[in-house]
Each structure stands twice: as C-alpha cells, then as structure tokens.
Amino acid sequence: MFLTYNLLNLNITGNNSQAQLSIPEAVGTVWKACSSLKETPRTNITAIRQSMIRIGSYINNVVLRKIKELKPASSCPSDEVSKPDDTNDSDLSCTEMKIIELVIEVVSGIVATIRETIHSITSLFKDTETDDERAQTMDPMESLLNVCTHMQSLVDDISSGVSPPQEISTIRGASEGIVGYVGKLQKQLELINGSSIAFVDAVNALKTSLKQLELELGCSDDDDDDDDDDEDDDDDADVDDELGSEMKNLELDSSCH
C-alpha cells in the first residue's frame, strides 16, 4: 500500500522532469511487490505443504540423482548394474554397488512417503474448517514438516556415506534415524486423521527397504571384520614364525554373500 501511495503521489505532483522519470521505476517496484504478494501462501497449512514439496523435490532431483550417478567397477556383472564405458579409481566394488542399489530404493521410498504425506494433508484440508479446527491441527502439521526436514538431513548423510570410500557407520546411523522419523511421521498424520491407504503402503514399502539395507550393512561389517582378522593373523606370523607356521587360514562362513 505504501508503494502504491507513493506511485499515485508521484503521478499527481510530478510536474517536473525528475518526478516523471521516477514513475517507471516506481511502477516496476509496485509490480514486483504485487507479484511477491501473489506468491505468498495464504495460510500456514499452505506454507507447510509448499515446504514439504520443496523437500521432496530436493531429495528426488538432487540427492537421488547424485547417488544414481555413482559408477560400478567394470568387474561387476552387467545383469546386476549397468556398466559404464570408462572406469576410474572412484568406481565402487560389486559389494558397494549392492549397498548403492538398496540406498536408491530407500531414498526413492522416502520420496514416495513424503509425496503421499502431501497428498494426505491436501485431501484432508479441502473441506472447509473452522478457525478452531485449523488451530488444533497446526501443531501436528508443524511436526510433520519438522520430521520431513530431519529426514532430508539424514538423506544427505546417506548420500555422503555411499560415496567412495563408503562409510558404513554413517549409512547405518542415518538409516536408523530414518526408521525413527518414519514412525513419528505416521503418528503425527494419525493425529489429524490423514493417514491414507496410499500413505500406509508407501511407509510399509520404505520400512521393507530399510530392513534390507540394514541386513546388507550387517554383512558388509562382517566382511570388514574378516579382513581385520586376516591382517592380525599376518602380524602374528611375522612376530613368531613357529606359531605362524602352525596357523591356517580359516574358511569363514560367508552367509552374507
């Protein structure tokens, strides 16, 4: 309103050339302010929904795309992962690529869960509600946004953890955190009676993907422990040749492979 008043004042009192030159600039400022006002969410619920959309879009278009660009080693079977024409030192082993594939499923599941959360709250608030009813739903809505924000941060942690060299502890910690936040997401959506069938299906699929990732991470840890044991055996052989000659390489059960 203040900008519009100044524009009208210039138009009425602008008898000199300097005032006339200021009118186009003022018109541009008013037009920009009106455009910004038009884009401003009308309600807090709309603002929360738009924030969730931005989070889902970021995870899908930035993080997921970055993970999918990681290259497998040329020795990986072509039927498991796509083999690029060129490889380098940053290529991942077949075992690491298995983790990548599971992480992609998890991140895709998070995107689907956030999408169904948005659909649920959109359908929920299509009906006209009183101010009191809207006020009662604001706390769960803000909690939903808070959960989605934390999940975005954990997805970023997973993305950094899967890049070579992979950090299993980072991936595991982030996935465990996501499990907890998925439960909170369900609880907050149930508080406003917005848990749809599609949302439940998306959550169940995500939990399954998280469980599969957890199992694979456990197998990877077992492999690391086996490597450490082999190194320790080599050190013992160097210290005591007699004892080293009596020790044999044990064939450990590779049930994880």
Side-chain angles (χ1 to χ4, degrees), residues 222-223 226 250-257:
D222 290 342
D223 290 340
D226 293 345
L250 299 177
E251 294 182 356
L252 301 179
D253 180 14
S254 56
S255 59
C256 293
H257 303 286

Side-chain angles (χ1 to χ4, degrees), residues 79-139:
D79 59 338
E80 294 182 4
V81 291
S82 58
K83 181 167 63 176
D85 295 333
D86 56 341
T87 59
N88 52 48
D89 293 338
S90 64
D91 291 342
L92 295 150
S93 68
C94 298
T95 301
E96 290 173 326
M97 279 308 301
K98 180 61 179 177
I99 294 177
I100 292 289
E101 292 170 353
L102 294 173
V103 164
I104 289 175
E105 290 183 11
V106 168
V107 176
S108 298
I110 291 173
V111 173
T113 300
I114 293 177
R115 180 175 62 246
E116 293 306 328
T117 301
I118 295 169
H119 288 168
S120 295
I121 63 177
T122 300
S123 301
L124 185 65
F125 293 105
K126 279 183 178 179
D127 300 331
T128 304
E129 295 179 316
T130 64
D131 292 340
D132 290 340
E133 288 174 328
R134 290 185 180 276
Q136 291 175 0
T137 59
M138 277 311 301
D139 284 345

Side-chain angles (χ1 to χ4, degrees), residues 1 13 42-44 53 92 97 107 109 130 175 178-179:
M1 290 295 295
T13 62
R42 297 180 180 180
T43 65
N44 289 336
I53 291 174
L92 295 150
M97 279 308 301
V107 176
T130 64
S175 63
I178 290 172
V179 171

